[in-house]
Structures are given as C-alpha cells and as structure tokens.
Amino acid sequence: MSDASTWVLLRGLMRDSRHWGDFPQAFARAMPGARIELLDFPGNGALNEQTSASSVDAMADYCRAELQRRGLKPPYRLLAMSLGAMAASSWASRHPQELDACVLINTSLRPFSPPHWRLRPTVWPDVLRLALRPPSVRAIERTILRLTSRLVRDPETLLDDWTQWRLSHPVSRANALRQLLAAAKYRAPLQAPATRLLILNSACDALVDSRCSQRLAQRWDCEIAVHPRAGHDLPLDDGAWVIEQIRRWI
C-alpha cells in the first residue's frame, strides 16, 4: 500500500543526519510513496557553523520553518530519537494540528523521570572525561559507540565514518553546551499531545534508563514497544526492528 506522508527524521544531541547510516533508505523502501526528510539542528552536521538553539521549543520551531522553506506542508509524521524526540514532543504539544503521528525513540523527559534516570550515573565519568579532557577524535567516537550501541556488527568501519564526520563538521563546545542546557531545561507537558504516539525503547540502553520511556508511555497512555537487547541508538542496533514496529503501528 502506498503512503504519501512526509516522514521527518530527527537525531539526538550533537549528532546529525549522517548518523542515521543506511536506515533512511531502508525506511523508504518499507514506506513506498512516503517522502523522507532528514533535518539537522543548527550547530550540527552541515549547519555546524550556525548557533545552536538554547531551548527545545526553538529547535522544534526551526524544523517547522525549514520544512516550510522546503515547500512541504503539514501534516507530517515524525521519527525522532533522544534530543530529537524532545523536539518532537514540543512540536506535538504546541502544534498538534501539524502532525499526523510521532514515533519517539529512547527519550527522557522532565517531569516524568529523575536526573539519574535521564543520564545513568555509570556514564557520568565518561561524560566528564570527554568534556574536560577530550581524547583523540577517534577515541571520542569509540566512547560514544560504547555508550550507545550493543549490537553493531562492524564497529571499526563505523568508527572510520564517525571520525571523518566529526573532523569535517565539528560541533563547537559552545554549541554542545547550548544543546545540553536546552535538553536539561526542557519540561514536557503532563498531558499527552493530541496526536498519535508510539514510543520505542531499548531495554539495554546504557546511556538513558529504559524506565524513562516506560514511565512516559504510562503517563501519556500511549503504545510502547521494547527491544530486549539493543542500546540507546536503536536504529543503528536494529533498524529492521524499528521499521517493523512502525509498519505494524501505523
């Protein structure tokens, strides 16, 4: 069955559309007729020389304006992970008429989850080391991969790509800080947005406690699917599973 919807894919903190890997192509094959749009937040990827927004609401508003600039009219469907899912939450809460569906992957939102769930204490030493005494670029990416993936099949080839991307489009410390502060400040509404919601969650997420997604699904009374083995970067670890959950739900 053909699907004429526009799907908008949003990545997380300090990452860009290249970090989807081959997932968008697989997703497009599974959604024949759909238009797949990849958006980067200012400060990331090809927009790395721009200033990152200091609030999640502003990130969502940037995405809305960019789609309008591209000549794409709502309603849209959002597939977003981590910080991108926070932006999707903001968008859905403030402009539900523009969205037909939202799929949120491994996000963590105040006021539903405490700080030690939103970033596991076991990773705090790694985060501090990366912030205060950054190692080589490849070592940074290796740490990120260790924290976000459990099932990647060819880590060295992936690290080659990630290292080159960081070198070609580095995220400045100032922009990294703006994104971190935006994520820390964002507070989702208690009431669920008036749009269809699906939450996808990784049981073995080493970065964010899986209870964040589970509690959100409970409070917003929306459907959730939990992958038993994947890490935080669920589309990287098992993109086929993500696609199957969305196909079944949509």
Side-chain angles (χ1 to χ4, degrees):
M1 181 173 62
S2 179
D3 182 349
S5 298
T6 296
W7 279 93
V8 181
L9 274 56
L10 302 176
R11 286 291 303 193
L13 184 72
M14 292 178 279
R15 307 308 258 181
D16 62 70
S17 56
R18 294 171 297 181
H19 292 90
W20 287 109
D22 60 4
F23 176 84
Q25 291 78 14
F27 190 64
R29 289 192 296 270
M31 302 287 177
R35 178 162 183 158
I36 312 299
E37 292 291 320
L38 309 179
L39 296 184
D40 290 340
F41 295 125
N44 298 344
L47 307 180
N48 69 314
E49 294 186 357
Q50 297 185 21
T51 300
S52 291
S54 58
S55 73
V56 168
D57 287 351
M59 293 177 185
D61 288 341
Y62 167 81
C63 295
R64 297 172 60 232
E66 176 61 18
L67 291 173
Q68 291 290 329
R69 190 191 68 79
R70 296 182 186 187
L72 300 173
K73 296 181 179 180
Y76 314 111
R77 293 175 175 177
L78 304 184
L79 172 57
M81 62 176 293
S82 197
L83 177 60
M86 293 185 192
S89 167
S90 166
W91 191 342
S93 298
R94 295 181 299 126
H95 306 283
Q97 73 282 359
E98 296 180 357
L99 302 178
D100 176 57
C102 283
V103 181
L104 310 180
I105 302 175
N106 287 331
T107 194
S108 61
L109 301 178
R110 287 196 310 154
F112 306 111
S113 301
H116 63 282
W117 287 10
R118 299 185 66 201
L119 185 65
R120 289 182 181 273
T122 52
V123 308
W124 293 355
D126 288 309
V127 173
L128 286 173
R129 277 193 295 271
L130 292 179
L132 300 178
R133 188 178 295 178
S136 70
V137 169
R138 191 178 185 89
I140 292 172
E141 295 297 340
R142 189 180 298 278
T143 298
I144 293 172
L145 183 61
R146 175 170 56 81
L147 295 177
T148 58
S149 174
R150 292 295 184 95
L151 303 175
V152 68
R153 293 180 178 84
D154 188 0
E156 294 307 317
T157 298
L158 185 66
L159 286 170
D160 288 342
D161 290 338
W162 285 9
T163 300
Q164 180 55 42
W165 298 342
R166 180 176 287 271
L167 289 170
S168 64
H169 295 89
V171 178
S172 70
R173 287 190 179 184
N175 277 338
L177 181 59
R178 287 188 185 94
Q179 293 176 41
L180 282 166
L181 290 175
K185 291 187 303 181
Y186 178 65
R187 184 179 180 90
L190 294 176
Q191 185 174 0
T195 189
R196 291 188 291 169
L197 291 170
L198 171 66
I199 295 176
L200 299 182
N201 181 221
S202 300
C204 294
D205 190 337
L207 195 66
V208 175
D209 195 305
S210 62
R211 288 177 291 182
C212 292
S213 287
Q214 293 161 18
R215 179 170 287 183
L216 179 62
Q218 181 183 39
R219 295 293 181 87
W220 279 359
D221 191 24
C222 60
E223 187 171 346
I224 183 171
V226 182
H227 193 293
R229 297 183 297 117
H232 185 71
D233 196 338
L234 183 48
L236 170 65
D237 275 1
D238 197 344
W241 183 89
V242 172
I243 291 169
E244 180 57 31
Q245 301 308 310
I246 296 172
R247 280 172 52 88
R248 178 188 58 79
W249 174 71
I250 209 69

